[in-house]
mmCIF file of all heavy atoms in Angstrom:
data_model
loop_
_atom_site.group_PDB
_atom_site.id
_atom_site.type_symbol
_atom_site.label_atom_id
_atom_site.label_comp_id
_atom_site.label_asym_id
_atom_site.label_seq_id
_atom_site.Cartn_x
_atom_site.Cartn_y
_atom_site.Cartn_z
ATOM 1 N N LYS J 1011 -1.433 16.235 -3.091
ATOM 2 C CA LYS J 1011 -0.411 15.552 -3.885
ATOM 3 C C LYS J 1011 -0.988 14.342 -4.603
ATOM 4 O O LYS J 1011 -0.235 13.660 -5.314
ATOM 5 C CB LYS J 1011 0.762 15.116 -2.973
ATOM 6 C CG LYS J 1011 1.474 16.334 -2.432
ATOM 7 C CD LYS J 1011 2.700 15.864 -1.610
ATOM 8 C CE LYS J 1011 3.517 17.038 -1.037
ATOM 9 N NZ LYS J 1011 4.695 16.602 -0.293
ATOM 10 N N ASN J 1012 -2.271 14.079 -4.393
ATOM 11 C CA ASN J 1012 -2.877 12.921 -5.012
ATOM 12 C C ASN J 1012 -2.087 11.635 -4.703
ATOM 13 O O ASN J 1012 -1.847 10.815 -5.658
ATOM 14 C CB ASN J 1012 -3.102 13.128 -6.527
ATOM 15 C CG ASN J 1012 -4.267 12.376 -7.081
ATOM 16 O OD1 ASN J 1012 -5.263 12.103 -6.373
ATOM 17 N ND2 ASN J 1012 -4.194 12.015 -8.360
ATOM 18 N N THR J 1013 -1.717 11.518 -3.501
ATOM 19 C CA THR J 1013 -0.752 10.434 -3.077
ATOM 20 C C THR J 1013 -1.269 9.731 -1.810
ATOM 21 O O THR J 1013 -1.759 10.428 -0.948
ATOM 22 C CB THR J 1013 0.692 10.981 -2.915
ATOM 23 O OG1 THR J 1013 1.136 11.553 -4.142
ATOM 24 C CG2 THR J 1013 1.631 9.901 -2.458
ATOM 25 N N VAL J 1014 -1.082 8.428 -1.832
ATOM 26 C CA VAL J 1014 -1.378 7.664 -0.545
ATOM 27 C C VAL J 1014 -0.067 7.096 -0.069
ATOM 28 O O VAL J 1014 0.815 6.675 -0.856
ATOM 29 C CB VAL J 1014 -2.376 6.520 -0.874
ATOM 30 C CG1 VAL J 1014 -2.592 5.575 0.302
ATOM 31 C CG2 VAL J 1014 -3.686 7.114 -1.367
ATOM 32 N N TYR J 1015 0.107 7.070 1.225
ATOM 33 C CA TYR J 1015 1.375 6.655 1.873
ATOM 34 C C TYR J 1015 1.059 5.403 2.745
ATOM 35 O O TYR J 1015 -0.041 5.214 3.275
ATOM 36 C CB TYR J 1015 1.874 7.763 2.774
ATOM 37 C CG TYR J 1015 2.176 9.067 2.002
ATOM 38 C CD1 TYR J 1015 1.277 10.083 2.032
ATOM 39 C CD2 TYR J 1015 3.382 9.191 1.312
ATOM 40 C CE1 TYR J 1015 1.492 11.225 1.360
ATOM 41 C CE2 TYR J 1015 3.621 10.368 0.635
ATOM 42 C CZ TYR J 1015 2.668 11.410 0.635
ATOM 43 O OH TYR J 1015 2.927 12.598 -0.008
ATOM 44 N N LEU J 1016 2.096 4.665 2.969
ATOM 45 C CA LEU J 1016 2.061 3.611 3.965
ATOM 46 C C LEU J 1016 3.330 3.793 4.808
ATOM 47 O O LEU J 1016 4.466 3.531 4.386
ATOM 48 C CB LEU J 1016 2.116 2.205 3.319
ATOM 49 C CG LEU J 1016 1.938 1.067 4.296
ATOM 50 C CD1 LEU J 1016 0.555 1.058 4.915
ATOM 51 C CD2 LEU J 1016 2.221 -0.285 3.597
ATOM 52 N N GLN J 1017 3.118 4.269 6.036
ATOM 53 C CA GLN J 1017 4.177 4.469 6.968
ATOM 54 C C GLN J 1017 4.334 3.146 7.774
ATOM 55 O O GLN J 1017 3.435 2.648 8.383
ATOM 56 C CB GLN J 1017 3.856 5.558 8.009
ATOM 57 C CG GLN J 1017 4.901 5.784 9.085
ATOM 58 C CD GLN J 1017 6.235 6.285 8.479
ATOM 59 O OE1 GLN J 1017 6.230 7.282 7.688
ATOM 60 N NE2 GLN J 1017 7.341 5.720 8.870
ATOM 61 N N MET J 1018 5.581 2.591 7.638
ATOM 62 C CA MET J 1018 5.865 1.307 8.223
ATOM 63 C C MET J 1018 6.917 1.469 9.280
ATOM 64 O O MET J 1018 7.940 2.037 9.025
ATOM 65 C CB MET J 1018 6.297 0.318 7.185
ATOM 66 C CG MET J 1018 5.412 0.187 5.988
ATOM 67 S SD MET J 1018 5.928 -1.104 4.787
ATOM 68 C CE MET J 1018 7.456 -0.364 4.270
ATOM 69 N N SER J 1019 6.649 0.962 10.501
ATOM 70 C CA SER J 1019 7.599 1.074 11.591
ATOM 71 C C SER J 1019 7.807 -0.324 12.196
ATOM 72 O O SER J 1019 7.040 -1.208 11.981
ATOM 73 C CB SER J 1019 7.178 2.122 12.621
ATOM 74 O OG SER J 1019 5.914 1.764 13.206
ATOM 75 N N SER J 1020 8.814 -0.412 13.049
ATOM 76 C CA SER J 1020 9.116 -1.669 13.691
ATOM 77 C C SER J 1020 9.160 -2.831 12.727
ATOM 78 O O SER J 1020 8.530 -3.908 12.906
ATOM 79 C CB SER J 1020 8.126 -1.957 14.835
ATOM 80 O OG SER J 1020 8.128 -0.914 15.830
ATOM 81 N N LEU J 1021 9.837 -2.598 11.620
ATOM 82 C CA LEU J 1021 9.776 -3.589 10.508
ATOM 83 C C LEU J 1021 10.475 -4.877 10.974
ATOM 84 O O LEU J 1021 11.435 -4.887 11.737
ATOM 85 C CB LEU J 1021 10.497 -3.023 9.340
ATOM 86 C CG LEU J 1021 9.602 -2.032 8.516
ATOM 87 C CD1 LEU J 1021 10.421 -1.189 7.570
ATOM 88 C CD2 LEU J 1021 8.552 -2.804 7.692
ATOM 89 N N LYS J 1022 9.948 -5.987 10.458
ATOM 90 C CA LYS J 1022 10.401 -7.304 10.770
ATOM 91 C C LYS J 1022 10.800 -8.018 9.427
ATOM 92 O O LYS J 1022 10.350 -7.640 8.391
ATOM 93 C CB LYS J 1022 9.262 -8.142 11.421
ATOM 94 C CG LYS J 1022 8.680 -7.473 12.607
ATOM 95 C CD LYS J 1022 7.461 -8.299 13.090
ATOM 96 C CE LYS J 1022 6.816 -7.652 14.334
ATOM 97 N NZ LYS J 1022 5.628 -8.460 14.763
ATOM 98 N N PRO J 1023 11.669 -9.022 9.565
ATOM 99 C CA PRO J 1023 12.015 -9.800 8.298
ATOM 100 C C PRO J 1023 10.802 -10.330 7.590
ATOM 101 O O PRO J 1023 10.839 -10.402 6.362
ATOM 102 C CB PRO J 1023 12.908 -10.924 8.929
ATOM 103 C CG PRO J 1023 13.533 -10.307 10.082
ATOM 104 C CD PRO J 1023 12.515 -9.447 10.719
ATOM 105 N N ASP J 1024 9.766 -10.715 8.334
ATOM 106 C CA ASP J 1024 8.556 -11.165 7.692
ATOM 107 C C ASP J 1024 7.842 -10.126 6.844
ATOM 108 O O ASP J 1024 6.909 -10.464 6.079
ATOM 109 C CB ASP J 1024 7.576 -11.725 8.731
ATOM 110 C CG ASP J 1024 8.018 -13.077 9.262
ATOM 111 O OD1 ASP J 1024 8.953 -13.675 8.704
ATOM 112 O OD2 ASP J 1024 7.369 -13.540 10.250
ATOM 113 N N ASP J 1025 8.240 -8.839 7.000
ATOM 114 C CA ASP J 1025 7.610 -7.795 6.130
ATOM 115 C C ASP J 1025 8.252 -7.735 4.803
ATOM 116 O O ASP J 1025 7.839 -6.939 3.943
ATOM 117 C CB ASP J 1025 7.729 -6.448 6.885
ATOM 118 C CG ASP J 1025 6.923 -6.414 8.156
ATOM 119 O OD1 ASP J 1025 5.764 -6.902 8.176
ATOM 120 O OD2 ASP J 1025 7.474 -5.870 9.142
ATOM 121 N N THR J 1026 9.353 -8.491 4.582
ATOM 122 C CA THR J 1026 10.017 -8.425 3.290
ATOM 123 C C THR J 1026 9.107 -8.914 2.203
ATOM 124 O O THR J 1026 8.468 -10.011 2.239
ATOM 125 C CB THR J 1026 11.251 -9.321 3.400
ATOM 126 O OG1 THR J 1026 12.176 -8.817 4.280
ATOM 127 C CG2 THR J 1026 11.939 -9.447 2.001
ATOM 128 N N ALA J 1027 8.896 -8.076 1.160
ATOM 129 C CA ALA J 1027 8.025 -8.370 0.058
ATOM 130 C C ALA J 1027 8.129 -7.246 -0.959
ATOM 131 O O ALA J 1027 8.671 -6.166 -0.688
ATOM 132 C CB ALA J 1027 6.586 -8.492 0.593
ATOM 133 N N VAL J 1028 7.463 -7.445 -2.078
ATOM 134 C CA VAL J 1028 7.183 -6.375 -3.023
ATOM 135 C C VAL J 1028 5.820 -5.789 -2.585
ATOM 136 O O VAL J 1028 4.895 -6.550 -2.398
ATOM 137 C CB VAL J 1028 7.097 -6.873 -4.447
ATOM 138 C CG1 VAL J 1028 6.792 -5.741 -5.417
ATOM 139 C CG2 VAL J 1028 8.447 -7.507 -4.895
ATOM 140 N N TYR J 1029 5.842 -4.496 -2.417
ATOM 141 C CA TYR J 1029 4.592 -3.851 -1.990
ATOM 142 C C TYR J 1029 3.947 -3.115 -3.174
ATOM 143 O O TYR J 1029 4.611 -2.411 -3.898
ATOM 144 C CB TYR J 1029 4.913 -2.824 -0.888
ATOM 145 C CG TYR J 1029 5.161 -3.465 0.462
ATOM 146 C CD1 TYR J 1029 6.288 -4.218 0.706
ATOM 147 C CD2 TYR J 1029 4.214 -3.367 1.478
ATOM 148 C CE1 TYR J 1029 6.531 -4.879 1.912
ATOM 149 C CE2 TYR J 1029 4.388 -4.005 2.719
ATOM 150 C CZ TYR J 1029 5.508 -4.739 2.886
ATOM 151 O OH TYR J 1029 5.744 -5.386 4.104
ATOM 152 N N TYR J 1030 2.650 -3.282 -3.287
ATOM 153 C CA TYR J 1030 1.873 -2.706 -4.370
ATOM 154 C C TYR J 1030 0.734 -1.861 -3.815
ATOM 155 O O TYR J 1030 0.176 -2.206 -2.767
ATOM 156 C CB TYR J 1030 1.200 -3.795 -5.242
ATOM 157 C CG TYR J 1030 2.167 -4.786 -5.870
ATOM 158 C CD1 TYR J 1030 2.611 -5.954 -5.206
ATOM 159 C CD2 TYR J 1030 2.620 -4.590 -7.179
ATOM 160 C CE1 TYR J 1030 3.432 -6.802 -5.820
ATOM 161 C CE2 TYR J 1030 3.447 -5.518 -7.815
ATOM 162 C CZ TYR J 1030 3.853 -6.574 -7.104
ATOM 163 O OH TYR J 1030 4.732 -7.490 -7.678
ATOM 164 N N CYS J 1031 0.434 -0.773 -4.496
ATOM 165 C CA CYS J 1031 -0.826 -0.033 -4.164
ATOM 166 C C CYS J 1031 -1.781 -0.317 -5.315
ATOM 167 O O CYS J 1031 -1.413 -0.603 -6.461
ATOM 168 C CB CYS J 1031 -0.545 1.385 -3.957
ATOM 169 S SG CYS J 1031 -0.004 2.347 -5.401
ATOM 170 N N ALA J 1032 -3.075 -0.216 -4.954
ATOM 171 C CA ALA J 1032 -4.107 -0.520 -5.927
ATOM 172 C C ALA J 1032 -5.330 0.373 -5.571
ATOM 173 O O ALA J 1032 -5.542 0.669 -4.403
ATOM 174 C CB ALA J 1032 -4.510 -1.970 -5.915
ATOM 175 N N ALA J 1033 -6.117 0.669 -6.596
ATOM 176 C CA ALA J 1033 -7.272 1.541 -6.354
ATOM 177 C C ALA J 1033 -8.499 0.911 -7.029
ATOM 178 O O ALA J 1033 -8.436 0.239 -8.046
ATOM 179 C CB ALA J 1033 -7.041 2.877 -6.955
ATOM 180 N N ARG J 1034 -9.637 1.142 -6.403
ATOM 181 C CA ARG J 1034 -10.927 0.663 -6.914
ATOM 182 C C ARG J 1034 -12.044 1.577 -6.513
ATOM 183 O O ARG J 1034 -11.952 2.279 -5.492
ATOM 184 C CB ARG J 1034 -11.228 -0.754 -6.349
ATOM 185 C CG ARG J 1034 -11.484 -0.796 -4.885
ATOM 186 C CD ARG J 1034 -12.131 -2.093 -4.444
ATOM 187 N NE ARG J 1034 -13.366 -2.357 -5.119
ATOM 188 C CZ ARG J 1034 -14.365 -3.122 -4.631
ATOM 189 N NH1 ARG J 1034 -14.241 -3.685 -3.434
ATOM 190 N NH2 ARG J 1034 -15.467 -3.323 -5.315
ATOM 191 N N LEU J 1035 -13.035 1.583 -7.336
ATOM 192 C CA LEU J 1035 -14.303 2.282 -7.017
ATOM 193 C C LEU J 1035 -15.061 1.227 -6.207
ATOM 194 O O LEU J 1035 -15.249 0.108 -6.612
ATOM 195 C CB LEU J 1035 -15.096 2.659 -8.258
ATOM 196 C CG LEU J 1035 -14.537 3.822 -9.049
ATOM 197 C CD1 LEU J 1035 -15.280 3.892 -10.353
ATOM 198 C CD2 LEU J 1035 -14.631 5.127 -8.277
#
Side-chain angles (χ1 to χ4, degrees):
K1011 295 183 177 180
N1012 209 28
T1013 298
V1014 176
Y1015 302 97
L1016 186 67
Q1017 178 68 47
M1018 308 185 295
S1019 61
S1020 302
L1021 283 162
K1022 305 174 182 180
D1024 284 349
D1025 295 318
T1026 296
V1028 178
Y1029 283 71
Y1030 301 87
C1031 65
R1034 66 165 302 206
L1035 287 170

